[in-house]
Amino acid sequence: MEKYVEINSMGYTLRGMMHIPENRNEKIPFVILFHGFQDDRNEINFVHTELSRRLCERGIGSVRFDFLGSGESDGCFEDITVSREVQNGLDILDYVDALPFVDSSRIALHGLSLGGCVAGMVAGLRKEKVKALSLWCPALDLVYNMREKNLCGQDVSDIEEKGYADVEGLRLSLDFYKDCLGIDPYAIASQFDKRVNLVHGDQDITASCDVSRKLKDMYGDRADLLIVSGAEHRFTSVPYRKARMESALRFLCNELKKG
């Protein structure tokens, strides 16, 4: 079953889609999916929609919300900061944790690109509530590069002068830049103490593959890392997409359906 849902976060309405397996006889494991920068809950080439549906076929529920200022949720793009997305993520986790049909001991987070950065930070802040962490092309480097006024290769050095950066016709606020100056995603994500699955393309110029390598080193034996040769940030081929999808499905099923 696919069901439209809404929650309140920081006074804004977040809108999303929940996937609930049919014929459930007990509380179910659950995955929360976080989308990336300038995307929405369906994600690049609808890949999060596919992941949710395939998880549902395997008896695992999920929810995909648009972050504040993205997709159908309240706000505009200028409202976005990394810290606000992290707060959205914490509020979504609390919402899922309170659902009567969800097994609170089997909740995983999954994130793509900046959503992977957010997922890692939420997992670090609420490690007692998160069973496993799945990351596709996590873009923690976006935060650190933004401190140098570089956004995914775009020079935004005029952001203080103009009060915003022009990102493909969208206004990225000065607040976004200032927020990046004050947060340390690696330090927060490092607090997570359970299993992690990382998938990254070695041709990714949007979020460096070095991010996933650093996370692998940081998490040690608790993390698996798949580097897909030839894949860029969008994983725009059938074989690349299949490799990424199957890695996440295998990991999430193994972690959430065991025990």
Side-chain angles (χ1 to χ4, degrees):
M1 177 177 69
E2 298 184 15
K3 175 185 178 183
Y4 173 81
V5 289
E6 295 182 352
I7 67 165
N8 182 278
S9 178
M10 300 182 295
Y12 295 89
T13 297
L14 305 184
R15 298 176 175 87
M17 186 64 65
M18 183 177 291
H19 298 250
I20 308 172
E22 303 285 354
N23 304 316
R24 61 187 188 277
N25 298 314
E26 56 186 18
K27 291 189 174 186
I28 60 172
F30 212 86
V31 180
I32 300 168
L33 287 75
F34 296 140
H35 69 78
F37 185 72
Q38 289 180 273
D39 276 298
D40 62 21
R41 63 181 181 256
N42 299 307
E43 251 306 337
I44 297 168
N45 294 341
F46 325 115
V47 69
H48 275 183
T49 306
E50 178 185 352
L51 178 56
S52 289
R53 289 173 176 171
R54 294 184 67 176
L55 286 168
C56 200
E57 291 169 359
R58 291 158 174 78
I60 298 173
S62 66
V63 72
R64 302 174 282 115
F65 279 97
D66 295 327
F67 283 125
L68 164 69
S70 296
E72 295 180 332
S73 289
D74 282 358
C76 61
F77 194 74
E78 284 184 277
D79 297 320
I80 292 172
T81 69
V82 176
S83 292
R84 288 171 187 162
E85 290 199 355
V86 170
Q87 186 59 55
N88 286 167
L90 293 170
D91 292 339
I92 293 166
L93 178 56
D94 288 342
Y95 165 74
V96 168
D97 186 51
L99 292 171
F101 54 85
V102 170
D103 182 345
S104 294
S105 69
R106 293 187 292 165
I107 297 174
L109 303 183
H110 167 88
L112 171 56
S113 192
L114 183 57
C117 176
V118 171
M121 293 173 72
V122 172
L125 291 168
R126 295 283 179 83
K127 62 182 181 180
E128 73 282 357
K129 288 191 174 184
V130 179
K131 171 71 172 174
L133 179 61
S134 167
L135 303 177
W136 286 349
C137 307
L140 281 72
D141 54 350
L142 183 152
V143 173
Y144 302 100
N145 291 340
M146 193 65 190
R147 296 175 183 177
E148 307 302 320
K149 299 179 181 175
N150 181 292
L151 178 69
C152 303
Q154 178 181 343
D155 179 4
V156 293
S157 57
D158 60 353
I159 191 168
E160 290 185 281
E161 177 186 349
K162 292 170 60 177
Y164 71 93
D166 188 333
V167 182
E168 298 181 353
L170 295 170
R171 288 175 177 250
L172 184 72
S173 72
L174 185 58
D175 282 346
F176 188 98
Y177 165 69
K178 290 179 177 179
D179 180 61
C180 289
L181 299 176
I183 57 176
D184 188 349
Y186 282 116
I188 297 171
S190 69
Q191 299 173 54
F192 185 64
D193 57 1
K194 302 182 188 72
R195 295 283 299 160
V196 181
N197 193 61
L198 299 153
V199 185
H200 220 119
D202 67 355
Q203 299 302 306
D204 194 336
I205 61 172
T206 301
S208 172
C209 193
D210 290 341
V211 172
S212 284
R213 291 192 177 101
K214 182 171 180 175
L215 289 171
K216 166 60 180 169
D217 289 343
M218 187 174 79
Y219 291 124
D221 292 342
R222 292 182 287 108
D224 295 322
L225 171 60
L226 172 64
I227 301 294
V228 180
S229 179
E232 32 51 73
H233 195 62
R234 294 174 63 86
F235 274 60
T236 49
S237 81
V238 171
Y240 298 159
R241 182 185 180 108
K242 180 179 180 182
R244 182 165 69 173
M245 183 66 65
E246 290 186 349
S247 178
L249 283 170
R250 183 168 54 250
F251 171 75
L252 291 167
C253 289
N254 285 344
E255 292 301 313
L256 297 181
K257 299 195 79 175
K258 68 183 180 183

